[in-house]
Amino acid sequence: MKKSKNKLHLDTEELYKKSVIRKCRIEENLENNTRLDKYMGDRFSYYSRNKWQDLIGQGLVLLNGEKVKYTRTVNKGDEIAYHIIGMKEPEVDKNVTIIYDDGDLIIANKPANLPVIPSGKYYHNTLHTIVREMLQCNINMLNRIDRETSGCVVLSRGHEVASKFCAMIAGRKLNNKKRSIKKTYIAIVENAKDIEDKFIVEGYMLESGHKYYRRFQTLHKENVEGSKYSKTAFKTIKRIGDYAIVMARLYTGRMHQIRVHLYSKNLYMVGDKIYGKYGPQVFDDFIEKNIIPEGFFPRQALHAYSLEFNHPITDELIKVKAPLSEDLKKFIRKLKYI
């Protein structure tokens, strides 16, 4: 008889001894009836949803401290502990610098190859842990950028400033005033011989999926079911042969927004394993075989360059810039000799 995955295993002590425990808290609002196995598969995609079902069935995933079935629904505020067997946490670049700190708000210049919060194979080697140890205090993460993206990330010490800053991100009013956050990124793109001096990309982004990357996003002119409006303004700073350096001003904050918007214009971000010139098969090969094409830049050439906003408590205008990372500077210098 085929064993049901949904039946909890009782003898897990030996598995626990061979594993490292990781913990996470669901901070975001979820769709109604989101199951535990789906949430784990989406957030920690190094295992398939079926694999997470097996692990939950073995009692290696605990929801709020209890063994549960993988069909259990999860909600914002739930705490998940999961055991990873035989997985070594990857090395990261820990060269974090603090470029703004007023006692409440903190802005860090994050290097590439450093995740912001625990996710996937990363738990201790994160920006959150590094800054917490640097400053010797509890901190809150107020915005996120991809592991491969360098530049500005906002954190806080207190909960009041965190709550008000997040309200600004969400577009809610503070003291009867609507505040905006101006975010500017720098990217290096290829296939850019005919790039415009200035251009705006807007439309509706949809997670349409791809055989090599299931969260692949596409841009649509019309508002299709499940899509979200997005807008980015681009300015070309410099052209170098087939390459260009562009500045991107975000008006919305969707997942992969800058990369998808460039892709929609047949402009490919250097080092992008999903929306780059070779497509998402590069990402699949990197995850499954840890290989990338010869000469491929090792990370997406994207840098969160500047932030401009009114302080959520004092209303003071804050302007911060994160110097361009050395690896991007080196790549630009190299382009001049091609």
Side-chain angles (χ1 to χ4, degrees):
M1 180 182 292
K2 187 176 179 181
K3 181 173 65 177
S4 171
K5 291 180 185 176
N6 214 19
K7 185 177 180 180
L8 295 178
H9 291 221
L10 299 177
D11 186 13
T12 57
E13 290 303 317
E14 289 302 314
L15 290 173
Y16 284 170
K17 290 176 183 177
K18 299 175 182 177
S19 68
V20 177
I21 193 168
R22 298 285 188 258
K23 295 181 180 180
C24 69
R25 182 182 176 88
I26 301 176
E27 303 289 354
E28 67 274 25
N29 291 315
L30 302 177
E31 295 180 0
N32 290 335
N33 301 317
T34 298
R35 290 176 16 168
L36 177 59
D37 60 331
K38 183 180 188 306
Y39 179 81
M40 297 301 287
D42 287 345
R43 179 165 179 178
F44 305 107
S45 56
Y46 53 86
Y47 287 152
S48 68
R49 184 171 174 178
N50 284 340
K51 177 66 173 177
W52 280 115
Q53 290 174 359
D54 289 337
L55 295 174
I56 295 166
Q58 293 177 64
L60 295 175
V61 179
L62 305 180
L63 179 63
N64 298 320
E66 297 181 352
K67 296 179 184 179
V68 296
K69 296 181 178 181
Y70 67 74
T71 53
R72 177 72 69 87
T73 57
V74 293
N75 300 285
K76 182 178 180 180
D78 283 342
E79 294 186 351
I80 300 170
Y82 56 100
H83 294 258
I84 299 180
I85 301 171
M87 183 181 290
K88 183 180 179 182
E89 189 165 345
E91 295 297 322
V92 297
D93 185 347
K94 296 185 178 182
N95 293 311
V96 175
T97 55
I98 303 299
I99 54 178
Y100 177 86
D101 185 354
D102 63 14
D104 286 318
L105 276 180
I106 305 158
I107 302 177
N109 185 6
K110 184 188 84 69
N113 191 30
L114 179 66
V116 171
I117 60 171
S119 181
K121 299 178 182 179
Y122 301 89
Y123 187 73
H124 297 290
N125 292 339
T126 66
L127 178 68
H128 180 272
T129 300
I130 291 169
V131 173
R132 186 183 64 198
E133 292 176 353
M134 285 174 64
L135 302 180
Q136 293 294 298
C137 65
N138 291 324
I139 59 167
N140 307 291
M141 303 301 310
L142 304 190
N143 79 314
R144 303 178 191 176
I145 57 178
D146 291 340
R147 178 180 65 84
E148 291 191 0
T149 302
S150 53
C152 294
V153 180
V154 186
L155 313 89
S156 76
R157 288 181 171 84
H159 292 294
E160 180 186 5
V161 69
S163 176
K164 291 184 175 181
F165 189 87
C166 290
M168 290 168 59
I169 292 175
R172 298 195 298 271
K173 289 183 179 181
L174 286 180
N175 300 322
N176 295 317
K177 295 179 182 178
K178 190 171 183 179
R179 299 296 190 186
S180 61
I181 302 172
K182 184 178 179 181
K183 301 178 183 179
T184 307
Y185 286 69
I186 291 175
I188 306 172
V189 299
E190 50 190 324
N191 195 39
K193 285 183 178 179
D194 300 319
I195 192 171
E196 302 167 81
D197 292 336
K198 294 182 180 180
F199 55 98
I200 292 175
V201 179
E202 61 181 324
Y204 296 87
M205 289 177 56
L206 177 69
E207 187 176 305
S208 54
H210 190 282
K211 67 177 181 178
Y212 290 121
Y213 182 66
R214 58 188 172 80
R215 303 202 69 185
F216 192 83
Q217 306 271 330
T218 50
L219 187 67
H220 301 260
K221 291 182 180 180
E222 304 297 329
N223 185 3
V224 297
E225 184 178 356
S227 66
K228 295 179 180 179
Y229 176 73
S230 60
K231 180 181 177 181
T232 311
F234 292 93
K235 179 181 179 180
T236 301
I237 302 171
K238 190 176 184 64
R239 296 175 177 83
I240 311 172
D242 192 46
Y243 296 83
I245 305 168
V246 299
M247 188 166 283
R249 162 82 189 278
L250 286 177
Y251 288 88
T252 53
R254 308 304 180 198
M255 186 179 83
H256 300 170
Q257 178 172 314
I258 295 174
R259 299 154 67 188
V260 172
H261 282 189
L262 289 169
Y263 183 80
S264 75
K265 301 281 285 186
N266 295 317
L267 297 167
Y268 308 120
M269 187 180 295
V270 167
D272 193 332
K273 299 177 183 68
I274 299 172
Y275 306 97
K277 65 179 180 179
Y278 297 116
Q281 185 170 354
V282 175
F283 177 79
D284 185 68
D285 288 342
F286 177 70
I287 295 297
E288 297 295 330
K289 306 171 188 175
N290 197 30
I291 60 173
I292 57 175
E294 185 177 355
F296 198 83
F297 194 63
R299 59 104 162 184
Q300 60 200 33
L302 183 62
H303 181 75
Y305 176 61
S306 69
L307 289 170
E308 183 176 326
F309 58 91
N310 289 86
H311 195 288
I313 293 179
T314 67
D315 205 35
E316 176 189 358
L317 181 62
I318 307 297
K319 295 182 179 180
V320 175
K321 293 181 179 178
L324 198 64
S325 60
E326 286 301 319
D327 64 333
L328 295 185
K329 288 181 182 178
K330 185 178 179 180
F331 183 81
I332 293 169
R333 289 194 296 267
K334 182 180 176 182
L335 288 179
K336 294 178 180 179
Y337 296 100
I338 294 178

